[in-house]
Each structure stands twice: as C-alpha cells, then as structure tokens.
C-alpha cells in the first residue's frame, strides 16, 4: 500500500457528488498491448490525496494480433474480457464509487479494435476510453508526478509498453514535449524475433530498427531542452520495472521493497542484454527477477530502453512504480475539481491544446470565439428544455466551435470536411478518441449537409447517443455561425425563450450597436434554422431586442 505525495488545495465548489468529509473509492483500468492493469484508490478530498488500496494485473497479450489481417484474435479478446470481468468483481468488492478504463496501442491500431470496445460495453456494461498516443504520454506524466518530486528540474520520462513507447520531456507544471512511437516489446518480438536464442542477424536488425524509429522523436525532444539544462531520466511500467528487479537481484541478491526509486545504469542494462541474448526462452525464465510470462518479450523491451538511453545521452535511469493507471486517477481528480495549485496548469489542458491547434491552422480567433460564445449561450439556455447534455458535452461543443473553421487552412471549398480531418488528426490533449471523433463531427456539420448515414465521419460514431449528440449540437452551432454572418461581432448576446405548448423557440438578439439592423444575420438565421427545427421538432424565429 502506497500513499501519494499530494498535499494540494481543493476546489470544494466542484464536489457535486461528495461531501467535504466523505472519501470516495475509484478504480482505474489500463488495457494495454501486453497486460490489463487495475489500481483501486481511496481518494481523500480534504487533503487532497489518494491511497492505493489494491492492484490487479493480468497478462492477456492483446497485442498478439493476426499476422495477416492485424485483427485482434478471438483468443486474446476472450482473455481480455475475462480479465476485465475479474477487475469489475474486485472493484465491486472494494465498493468502488466509480470505475474508469482506458485502452491504448493495441486497441487503437487493430481494425476491429473499436468493435471490440463496443462488445466490452455491451457484454460488461463497461465504457472504455480509447486514448491517443500523446494523451497516453500525458497521463503517464500525471501518474509519475503523483509520486516523484521534480525539484523544479525537467525530467525525461520513458514508458515501454507492449505496442508503443512514450518518451516525454516534462517539469512540475507542464509537459514540454510528449511523444508516442510504435515500438513496443510485444510488437517487436512478434515482428522481428523468430530464433531462440535470438540470432546475431535478428539482434542487429532489431536494434537498428528501434534506433531508426526513436531518432526522430528524440531529435524533436532535444529542441525543447535548454543548452545548460541537466536532466534526469525516469522509467515506468512493466518492462523497466522487470529490468530493475533483474538488476537488483544480480547486484544485491534481493529486490528492494518498495522498488520505486531504484536506479540502474546503462552499463548495467548492457550487461543484462548481453546475458539474455545468449539464452533461450526457458533459460531466460530462470533468471532471478524475471517472471516466466515476461521472458518471451523482455529482450526487445531491454533493447528499446538501451537505444533510447544512448540516443538521449543518459547514463542512468530511475524507476517510478506509478504510470498510466495512476495518471488516469489524477486526471479524474483534475476533471472533478479535486486538485488546484500544483496541477492547475494541467486542469486547463483541453483549452490550451485547442488554442494551440487554432493558432497552428491560423483560425480567426475573434470570429470563432463569438461562435463558441453563442453556441454555449444557446446550449445553456436550452439545457433541460430541448436537450439534456452535460458539462462534458458542453466542453466538446466549445472546442468544435473554436476549431470549426480550421479547414480554411487547406481550402475554402468544402472546408467543413477539411476541419473534420484536421481535428480528428490533431491529437488534442485531454480528449479521448471517442470525444475527438465527436468534436470533429460537430465541426464537420456546422454547414452544408446535415449528418447522414452514408457519411464516413458519421459512420465512425458507434452509438445512437453519439449520433444524436452530433445531430443536435451541430444544429446549435449552425445557429451560432449564422449570428456572426458578417464576422464583425454585430450581435452581442442571444436570449432564448421557449413556448412549450406551441413548440416555438424565439431567439432574442441583442445587437452590439443600436443603429445596426443586423439584416444579414437575421436573413442567415432564416436560412440556417431549418436543420435545427427538424432536429428538435420546433419552429424558430428571431428578433432584435434593443
């Protein structure tokens, strides 16, 4: 049992579901390429802090995909379902108030990954967030930050998973650089290793491939380092933890308890690699500190770490036992207002990420901020009247409104389609893959055709609720866009009044200048309101309110 290092200010106004004296129990599941991990924590809002009260781990090898198709195999999916069911049972036994789950590389890349996520939701009633590689790196950073004091110095983080490796440059208040590269212990073992012990040829090929894949992200990382800065390296997750245990057994004859904070050198890692490459699977399984199930993939993982340390010029690495699942906990605490102070910068990650993308694609921010303002005014005033969407959806609407015209960066023609593509591939931090898809669809349908089943973007929405959300919220955004037709801020505010009996919505528009008749805005509303009327089953009229 480990207590976190948090001693931060709380934001009691946002504790909608908890009283000041009430602790809550949260379970977080990380569905990785190699293993499924769960951590159960007791959150103490008054500190705020969290204490780990239980852990669960199952090596399901989800990343052992069909070599021909890349599909997740039936066997791997079945193992994963059983492991997730055990996690649910354990969480229930600890009376967890909430359970959050994320999926990473294997699920992102498999052609049937989203289908399997839908099956998990249907079979287990468990909603799993699919997150991007950069979002995975950000949450790993949050997990490390919950256990390590950076002493106001930057740190290099590396997390070697089954399908990808995340390398980041971070400091206490922000992540300067986040990356995710498709090199992982399971993936590389499956793709490059067919001999046992590994042949010299395969060893050289594997090492060269890893180095080639890591060179570009590490070069980009170096651009964020100051010439005089001295950084230290921190490693997380199973591969590096196993290597730390093997090193400790070889040097000390035992494994420190806890092993968190244990350090080993690049030279010591080279010695382990030299030893392991000469042994077959059974012989590796007998090495002290190496579990039988990890013996098959540990060499590929060790080579990834060696190449990364060498490219980064690091002679030593320190192990941190906290990683993605603990980062999911911290992210949940941030989003629920449990943490201010030290992590306040991270709590605004969505806003800053959206604004960074807007700047990248030269969005007219004044115009798009007005669109966002009108969208939220209509959303807020119609909440509980014509729709029941929550604050989470409101944030996605805001993001889409800010970025709805980013497609102009490519071309004015069909720019709403270009906006969809740019948003969908922008890796906005703070959003999971489903939320990104929804934000992109909001922007896609702010003009021209309404959502249709034949549209590829609309087909990517997997649930009826998501499709309804896009239909309703994009219709709201159409009205907001119309309110700034001349893009000069002619309308200052919009007040909505709804006659339930007549099913009629009146938009009372407050002009910025009393002598402006806003004829073009009123005309555009007449043109744009049709889809809104169809979607909500109401009639709409607008009038100036002087």
């Amino acid at each position: 049992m480990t207590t976190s290092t948090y001693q931060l200010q709380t934001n009691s106004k946002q504790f909608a579901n908890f009283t000041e004296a009430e602790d809550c129990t949260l379970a977080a599941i990380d569905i990785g390429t190699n293993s499924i991990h769960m951590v159960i924590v007791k959150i103490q809002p008054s500190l705020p802090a969290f204490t780990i009260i239980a852990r669960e781990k199952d090596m399901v090898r989800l990343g052992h995909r069909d070599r021909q198709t890349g599909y997740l195999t039936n066997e791997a999916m079945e193992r994963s379902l059983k492991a997730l069911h055990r996690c649910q049972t354990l969480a229930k036994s600890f009376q967890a108030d909430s359970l959050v789950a994320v999926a990473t590389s294997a699920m992102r890349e498999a052609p049937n990954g989203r289908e399997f996520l839908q099956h998990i939701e249907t079979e287990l009633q468990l909603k799993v967030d699919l997150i991007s590689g950069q979002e995975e790196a950000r949450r790993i950073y949050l997990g490390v930050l919950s256990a390590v004091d950076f002493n106001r110095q930057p740190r290099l983080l590396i997390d070697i998973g089954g399908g990808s490796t995340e390398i980041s440059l971070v400091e206490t208040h922000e992540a300067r650089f986040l990356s995710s590269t498709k090199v992982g212990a399971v993936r590389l073992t499956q793709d490059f290793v067919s001999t046992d012990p590994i042949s010299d040829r395969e060893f050289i090929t594997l090492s060269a491939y890893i180095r080639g894949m890591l060179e570009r992200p590490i070069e980009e990382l170096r651009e964020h380092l100051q010439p005089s800065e001295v950084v230290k390296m921190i490693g997380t997750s199973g591969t590096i933890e196993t290597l730390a245990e093997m090193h400790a057994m070889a040097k000390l004859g035992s494994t420190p308890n806890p092993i968190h904070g244990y350090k080993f050198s690049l030279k010591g890692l080279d010695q382990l690699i030299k030893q392991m490459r000469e042994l077959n699977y059974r012989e590796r399984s007998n090495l002290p500190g190496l579990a039988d199930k990890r013996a098959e993939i540990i060499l590929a993982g060790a080579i990834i770490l060696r190449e990364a340390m060498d490219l980064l010029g690091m002679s030593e690495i320190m192990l941190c036992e906290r990683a993605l699942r603990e980062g999911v906990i911290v992210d949940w605490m941030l989003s629920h207002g449990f943490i201010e102070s030290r992590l306040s910068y991270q709590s605004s990650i969505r806003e800053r990420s959206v604004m960074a993308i807007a700047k990248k694609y030269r969005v007219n921010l004044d115009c798009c901020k007005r669109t966002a303002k009108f969208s939220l005014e209509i959303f807020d005033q119609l909440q509980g009247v014509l729709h029941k969407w929550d604050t989470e959806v409101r944030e996605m609407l805001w993001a889409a409104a800010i970025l709805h015209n980013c497609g102009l960066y490519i071309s004015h023609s069909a720019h709403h389609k270009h906006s969809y593509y740019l948003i969908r591939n922008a890796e906005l931090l703070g959003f999971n893959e489903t939320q990104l898809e929804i934000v992109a669809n909001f922007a896609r349908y702010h003009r021209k055709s309404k959502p249709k089943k034949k549209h590829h973007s609309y087909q990517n929405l997997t649930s009826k609720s998501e499709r309804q959300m896009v239909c309703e919220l994009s219709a709201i955004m159409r009205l907001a866009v119309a309110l700034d037709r001349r893009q000069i801020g002619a309308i200052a505010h919009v007040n909505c009044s709804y006659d339930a009996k007549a099913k009629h919505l009146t938009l009372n528009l407050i002009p910025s200048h009393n002598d402006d008749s806003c004829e073009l805005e009123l005309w555009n509303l007449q043109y744009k309101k049709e889809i809104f009327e169809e979607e909500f089953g109401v009639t709409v009229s607008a009038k100036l309110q002087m």
Side-chain angles (χ1 to χ4, degrees):
M1 184 181 296
T2 309
T3 304
S4 78
T5 59
Y6 285 135
Q7 294 292 322
L8 307 175
Q9 296 175 4
T10 62
N11 186 351
S12 59
K13 292 180 181 178
Q14 296 186 44
F15 289 171
N17 299 317
F18 307 99
T19 66
E20 279 193 22
E22 184 182 13
D23 292 352
C24 69
T25 302
L26 179 67
I29 297 175
D30 160 21
I31 304 174
T33 301
N34 189 47
S35 305
I36 290 178
H37 294 263
M38 182 177 71
V39 61
I40 302 175
V41 304
K42 182 73 71 175
I43 295 175
Q44 301 157 285
S46 58
L47 293 178
F50 68 84
T51 302
I52 297 172
I53 56 177
R55 296 181 186 270
E56 179 71 7
K57 175 185 173 183
D58 206 328
M59 199 171 285
V60 296
R61 295 286 168 85
L62 191 60
H64 273 181
R65 296 181 286 170
D66 186 283
R67 287 182 178 271
Q68 301 298 320
T69 65
Y71 276 61
L72 302 174
T73 65
N74 290 331
E75 295 78 11
M77 289 190 288
E78 185 61 30
R79 290 194 298 269
S80 299
L81 276 174
K82 289 179 179 178
L84 289 171
H85 180 67
R86 286 192 291 273
C87 286
Q88 283 183 309
T89 302
L90 184 62
K92 187 176 180 180
S93 72
F94 278 87
Q95 299 180 318
D97 298 290
S98 186
L99 192 156
V100 290
V102 298
T104 56
S105 176
M107 213 80 83
R108 281 197 301 265
E109 297 174 30
N112 60 339
R114 291 179 183 275
E115 182 182 332
F116 183 44
L117 288 178
Q118 193 65 43
H119 182 62
I120 292 171
E121 186 171 0
T122 302
E123 191 78 13
L124 302 177
Q125 288 74 56
L126 176 63
K127 180 73 173 178
V128 178
D129 288 341
L130 185 61
I131 59 176
S132 69
Q134 280 202 330
E135 179 62 15
E136 182 179 354
R138 186 185 74 89
R139 298 198 196 188
I140 290 167
Y141 156 57
L142 291 179
V144 173
L145 198 57
S146 74
V148 178
D149 188 345
F150 288 2
N151 293 318
R152 299 182 180 180
Q153 292 181 330
R155 294 287 188 270
L156 290 167
L157 303 185
I158 182 168
D159 183 290
I160 300 170
S164 65
T165 292
E166 283 66 48
I167 300 177
S168 307
L169 175 64
V170 302
E171 52 189 338
T172 302
H173 294 290
E174 67 172 316
R176 293 191 204 170
F177 176 81
L178 300 168
S179 74
S180 180
T181 307
K182 293 179 181 180
V183 288
V186 173
R187 181 200 297 270
L188 297 183
T189 300
Q190 187 174 20
D191 292 349
F192 287 90
V193 182
S194 61
T195 54
D196 189 31
I198 188 172
S199 67
D200 289 344
R201 182 176 182 178
E202 285 188 347
F203 181 85
I204 293 169
T205 301
L206 177 57
S207 300
Y209 177 81
I210 292 169
R211 195 174 189 87
M213 289 293 288
L214 293 179
E215 279 178 343
R216 182 174 177 180
I218 288 176
E219 283 176 8
E220 292 177 6
L221 182 150
R222 286 187 180 280
E223 294 174 3
H224 294 79
L225 269 173
Q226 301 300 321
S228 60
E229 282 186 317
V230 177
V231 294
K232 295 181 180 180
M233 193 172 192
I234 297 173
T236 64
S237 292
T239 292
I240 297 176
E241 186 171 341
T242 297
L243 291 169
E245 290 174 352
M246 293 175 69
H247 184 272
M249 290 298 294
K251 297 298 179 182
L252 307 176
S254 63
T255 301
N257 187 19
I259 198 168
H260 172 82
Y262 184 80
K263 299 176 183 178
F264 60 96
S265 65
L266 177 58
K267 183 179 178 181
L269 176 62
D270 276 329
Q271 291 171 348
L272 286 175
I273 291 172
K274 183 179 179 181
Q275 180 184 26
M276 289 190 291
R277 66 177 291 192
E278 296 173 354
L279 305 176
N280 61 31
Y281 167 74
R282 180 169 293 183
E283 291 167 336
R284 287 195 304 275
S285 300
N286 292 325
L287 289 175
L290 180 58
D292 180 66
K293 289 185 177 181
R294 195 170 288 276
E296 182 184 357
I297 63 171
I298 189 62
L299 182 58
I303 298 171
I304 294 171
L305 181 58
R306 183 192 67 181
E307 295 300 332
M309 290 180 71
D310 187 49
L311 285 168
L312 288 163
M314 292 290 108
S315 60
E316 186 179 68
I317 187 169
M318 183 189 87
L319 173 69
C320 175
E321 285 190 293
R322 294 193 176 181
L324 177 59
R325 49 204 170 275
E326 289 82 11
V328 171
I329 297 288
V330 177
D331 192 63
W332 186 92
M333 293 176 72
L334 282 164
S335 65
H336 287 74
F338 281 67
I339 303 172
E340 284 183 347
S341 183
R342 197 172 83 187
L343 288 178
S344 60
Y345 194 71
Q346 281 296 312
S347 67
S348 62
I349 188 68
R350 284 183 173 181
E351 179 181 352
R352 291 185 292 105
S353 182
V354 167
M355 288 303 183
I357 297 300
K359 182 178 180 181
K360 178 179 180 180
Y361 295 120
R362 301 175 187 174
V363 163
N364 181 338
L365 270 178
D366 289 338
C367 174
C368 289
K369 283 180 178 179
R370 287 191 293 269
T371 300
K373 174 186 174 184
F374 296 143
S375 295
L376 298 187
E377 284 183 347
I378 296 170
F379 178 95
D380 291 342
Q381 293 175 65
L382 298 186
Q383 190 174 39
V385 179
L386 292 183
H387 75 83
K388 296 182 179 178
W389 302 113
D390 60 13
T391 304
E392 186 78 16
V393 177
R394 187 181 189 273
E395 288 189 18
M396 290 190 281
L397 176 62
W398 172 84
I402 293 293
L403 297 174
H404 75 281
N405 270 343
C406 68
L408 291 170
Y409 183 80
I410 296 176
S411 170
H412 185 277
S413 176
H415 70 266
H416 55 297
K417 296 180 181 179
H418 299 317
S419 292
Y420 169 84
Y421 175 81
L422 291 178
I423 294 170
R424 190 63 190 86
N425 293 279
E427 297 221 357
L428 291 172
L429 298 178
F431 296 96
N432 61 44
E433 291 289 289
T434 300
Q435 290 165 339
L436 275 176
E437 189 69 55
I438 291 169
V439 170
N441 269 277
F442 284 167
R444 161 71 172 83
Y445 294 111
H446 82 270
R447 67 191 290 267
K448 297 293 186 179
S449 171
K450 67 179 183 180
K452 294 180 180 178
K453 291 182 180 178
K454 67 179 181 180
H455 295 161
H456 176 71
S457 60
Y458 194 59
Q459 291 173 4
N460 288 337
L461 302 168
T462 57
S463 73
K464 182 178 179 181
S465 173
E466 290 166 7
R467 291 189 288 272
Q468 181 185 353
M469 186 191 304
V470 166
C471 288
E472 292 184 0
L473 276 294
S474 62
I476 288 178
M477 200 191 303
R478 286 172 187 263
L479 299 184
V481 171
L483 289 172
D484 195 37
R485 182 64 184 86
R486 285 177 288 169
Q487 299 188 4
I488 61 172
I491 304 297
H493 297 285
V494 54
N495 294 322
C496 302
S497 58
Y498 181 63
D499 184 337
K501 187 174 181 180
K503 291 188 175 181
H504 182 79
L505 175 67
T506 303
L507 302 177
N508 300 295
L509 310 181
I510 303 173
S512 298
H513 305 285
N514 289 334
D515 59 349
D516 188 346
S517 63
C518 301
E519 289 181 4
L520 197 53
E521 282 73 26
L522 289 169
W523 171 83
N524 204 226
L525 271 172
Q526 279 294 116
Y527 174 66
K528 291 286 185 73
K529 70 178 185 178
E530 182 180 343
I531 289 177
F532 182 96
E533 290 177 330
E534 289 178 8
E535 193 58 47
F536 289 96
V538 300
T539 56
V540 178
S541 64
K543 62 180 181 180
L544 288 185
Q545 187 177 357
M546 298 295 187

